């Protein structure tokens, strides 16, 4: 089949976690023999910020790391041309509202393809008036990355159909590397890869990351963008190395050089959006690094907390859990193995593509026949 995807960016993951999942989905679809066209706006802010901070080198490195992945950057779009021969079309929630409406109107005139809106953000819960402005009248439904988001679309009448479509790890990229940490000569004890997140987790990062590391005297490094000067100063005061932006495809090798990592969800995912972990834990577990998470409610049963990863209810417990992982090799090995096993069993991009193809079948496959879905290991 021919898939046409409209997203913010395939190329840049600067403060843009959706690129991680998108790359895996596109790769998996292509490996199964589908044609995939990706369109991203020429002025995508993630690309602009990446090039502003690092020049064109990261874009060239992306092309070398993902030689089969390509996207078309556009100013304007002739939808009759772009959507010619399309079987399945996905439009991401960060897309311009006018483009979302125009694609829906094109679908009304050209019912030969299936059209889905893909929501991977918390705005449906935290900014409902803004999300209500999207015109999804002619869409076949919404792919929401958590049940609670799916339910909001249905309850508020924003869409006639909606499905839960969680993010997952691209295991072609995210898989265990030979562990420097296990040889007794790691780069450090703790690594955290994540963006500051405005005010959505500032206090949480201090409680669950900065203060435990400081009080335990651990060697640690933090990667991410949009850290204000006061945040960088707090890291330095705690003797935590701040390393700035990290190309997401380099994360597996970085994980291999540290003993553990931490997940600190943004506040909306703790207080409002039960069951949505965001993509970082999927990727860390896929790399078999022991993970300790600040609290979030795994309401959809994606994992087995306490076995796939440890949970710390507050900063005091985070220190306790860090000590346990760093001093109990059997515990660390068990967490790494269990977490990886769960990802491979349930949460890879291959699993999500299989789910997507089943959804397409549910709404009525396009006129061309669906190829059989590949087996998921």
């Amino acid at each position: 089949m021919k898939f046409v995807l409209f997203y913010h960016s395939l190329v840049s993951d600067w403060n843009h976690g959706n690129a991680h999942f998108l790359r895996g989905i596109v790769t998996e679809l292509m490996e199964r023999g589908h044609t995939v066209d990706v369109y991203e706006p020429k002025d995508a802010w993630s690309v602009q910020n990446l090039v502003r901070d690092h020049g064109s080198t990261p874009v060239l490195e992306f092309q070398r790391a993902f030689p089969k992945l390509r996207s078309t950057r556009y100013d304007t779009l002739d939808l009759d041309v772009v959507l010619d021969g399309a079987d399945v079309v996905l439009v991401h929630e960060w897309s311009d509202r006018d483009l979302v409406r125009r694609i829906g109107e094109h679908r009304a005139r050209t019912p030969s393809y299936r059209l889905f809106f893909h929501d991977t953000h918390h705005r449906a819960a935290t900014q409902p008036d803004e999300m209500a402005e999207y015109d999804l009248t002619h869409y076949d439904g919404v792919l929401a990355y958590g049940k609670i988001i799916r339910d909001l679309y249905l309850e508020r009448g924003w869409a006639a159909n909606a499905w839960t479509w969680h993010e997952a790890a691209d295991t072609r990229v995210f898989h265990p590397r030979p562990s420097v940490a296990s040889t007794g000569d790691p780069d450090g004890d703790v690594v955290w890869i994540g963006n500051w997140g405005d005010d959505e987790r500032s206090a949480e990062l201090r409680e669950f990351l900065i203060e435990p590391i400081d009080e335990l005297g651990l060697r640690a490094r933090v990667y991410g963008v949009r850290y204000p000067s006061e945040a960088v100063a707090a890291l330095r005061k705690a003797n935590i190395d701040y390393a700035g932006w990290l190309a997401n495809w380099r994360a597996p090798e970085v994980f291999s050089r540290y003993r553990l990592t931490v997940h600190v969800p943004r506040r909306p995912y703790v207080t409002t959006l039960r069951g949505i972990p965001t993509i970082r834990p999927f990727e860390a577990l896929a790399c078999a690094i022991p993970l300790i998470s600040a609290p979030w409610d795994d309401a959809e049963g994606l994992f087995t907390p306490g076995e796939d990863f440890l949970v710390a209810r507050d900063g005091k417990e985070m220190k306790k859990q860090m000590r346990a992982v760093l001093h109990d090799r059997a515990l660390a090995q068990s967490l790494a193995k269990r977490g990886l096993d769960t990802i491979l069993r349930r949460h890879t991009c291959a699993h999500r593509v299989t789910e997507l193809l089943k959804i397409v079948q549910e709404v009525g496959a396009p006129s061309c026949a669906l190829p059989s879905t590949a087996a998921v290991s």
Side-chain angles (χ1 to χ4, degrees):
M1 291 192 294
K2 179 179 178 179
F3 287 76
V4 181
L5 313 181
F6 297 88
Y7 279 77
H8 176 72
S9 183
L10 176 72
V11 172
S12 175
D13 54 38
W14 191 99
N15 199 52
H16 178 226
N18 306 136
H20 309 188
F21 183 56
L22 174 60
R23 292 167 182 171
I25 292 299
V26 171
T27 301
E28 181 66 25
L29 285 168
M30 292 171 63
E31 287 293 318
R32 298 195 190 189
H34 300 288
T35 299
V36 187
D37 294 340
V38 180
Y39 291 87
E40 58 181 271
K42 195 170 185 178
D43 62 352
W45 57 259
S46 180
V47 179
Q48 290 180 327
N49 280 287
L50 180 63
V51 173
R52 179 201 67 198
D53 290 353
H54 302 280
S56 60
T57 299
V59 176
L60 298 175
E61 290 180 343
F62 162 79
Q63 292 170 351
R64 287 194 290 267
F66 299 93
K68 294 181 180 180
L69 299 188
R70 292 288 184 270
S71 61
T72 299
R73 300 179 66 188
Y74 62 85
D75 282 319
T76 59
L77 287 170
D78 183 337
L79 293 181
D80 286 335
V81 173
V82 168
L83 296 175
D84 182 43
D87 298 300
V88 181
V89 178
L90 271 60
V91 184
H92 189 254
E93 169 260 334
W94 281 5
S95 298
D96 178 78
R97 289 190 190 88
D98 182 62
L99 177 63
V100 172
R101 176 189 55 78
R102 287 176 55 217
I103 294 173
E105 291 172 349
H106 185 277
R107 166 69 167 79
R109 300 191 303 271
T110 313
S112 58
Y113 59 86
R114 300 295 168 257
L115 176 60
F116 300 95
F117 189 67
H118 185 200
D119 193 333
T120 62
H121 200 261
H122 58 66
R123 287 196 300 161
T126 59
Q127 299 172 320
D129 292 343
E130 190 173 317
M131 293 307 299
E133 295 179 6
Y134 283 94
D135 183 359
L136 305 180
T137 304
H138 303 294
Y139 283 64
D140 290 291
V142 172
L143 305 174
Y145 80 144
K147 180 179 181 298
I148 196 163
I149 298 293
R150 182 203 70 179
D151 292 347
L152 288 173
Y153 274 89
L154 298 176
E155 292 166 2
R156 293 170 177 170
W158 295 341
N161 299 295
W163 296 266
T164 301
W165 198 42
H166 280 286
E167 294 178 318
D170 178 3
T171 50
R172 290 182 173 86
V173 175
F174 287 85
H175 56 82
R177 303 296 199 270
S179 176
V180 177
S182 66
T183 67
D185 189 26
D187 286 3
D189 301 304
V190 183
V191 64
W192 192 70
I193 303 173
N195 305 316
W196 184 252
D198 302 315
D199 291 325
E200 292 179 351
R201 59 181 168 197
S202 302
E204 291 83 351
L205 286 172
R206 289 186 174 89
E207 179 180 6
F208 291 97
L209 184 71
I210 298 173
E211 292 173 2
I213 289 171
D214 187 22
E215 293 172 17
L216 292 173
L218 303 179
R219 293 183 298 154
R221 175 170 290 179
V222 165
Y223 292 90
V225 301
R226 300 183 69 188
Y227 280 66
S229 58
E230 59 270 22
V232 174
L235 292 173
R236 288 174 178 162
K237 185 178 178 182
N239 293 314
I240 298 171
D241 179 29
Y242 173 57
W245 173 75
L246 176 73
N248 190 54
W249 56 272
R250 294 187 181 275
E253 184 176 347
V254 170
F255 282 140
S256 75
R257 301 200 299 267
Y258 289 82
R259 297 186 186 279
L260 67 88
T261 191
V262 172
H263 175 49
V264 184
R266 297 171 189 250
R267 201 167 304 126
Y269 297 101
V270 177
T271 60
T272 307
L273 301 176
R274 297 177 300 108
I276 301 176
T278 72
I279 199 165
R280 298 288 187 182
F282 291 112
E283 294 178 338
L285 295 176
C287 293
I289 182 171
L291 172 69
I292 308 172
S293 179
W296 63 279
D297 183 3
D298 186 10
E300 298 185 50
L302 300 176
F303 302 104
T304 305
E307 297 183 15
D308 295 331
F309 57 85
L310 298 181
V311 178
R313 292 169 293 183
D314 53 33
K316 182 179 179 180
E317 194 163 53
M318 178 61 79
K319 287 198 299 181
K320 177 182 175 182
Q321 302 287 39
M322 284 182 174
R323 280 197 200 98
V325 172
L326 292 173
H327 293 95
D328 186 338
R329 177 166 291 191
L331 172 63
Q333 291 175 341
S334 174
L335 290 169
K337 182 180 185 304
R338 274 297 304 260
L340 174 60
D341 288 348
T342 296
I343 295 297
L344 295 179
R345 201 170 60 248
R346 303 178 59 193
H347 302 307
T348 70
C349 286
H351 290 97
R352 299 303 182 256
V353 164
T354 295
E355 293 168 7
L356 175 61
L357 296 178
K358 288 180 179 177
I359 291 169
V360 171
Q361 288 179 313
E362 182 179 333
V363 299
S367 55
C368 66
L370 273 169
S372 59
T373 57
V376 177
S377 59

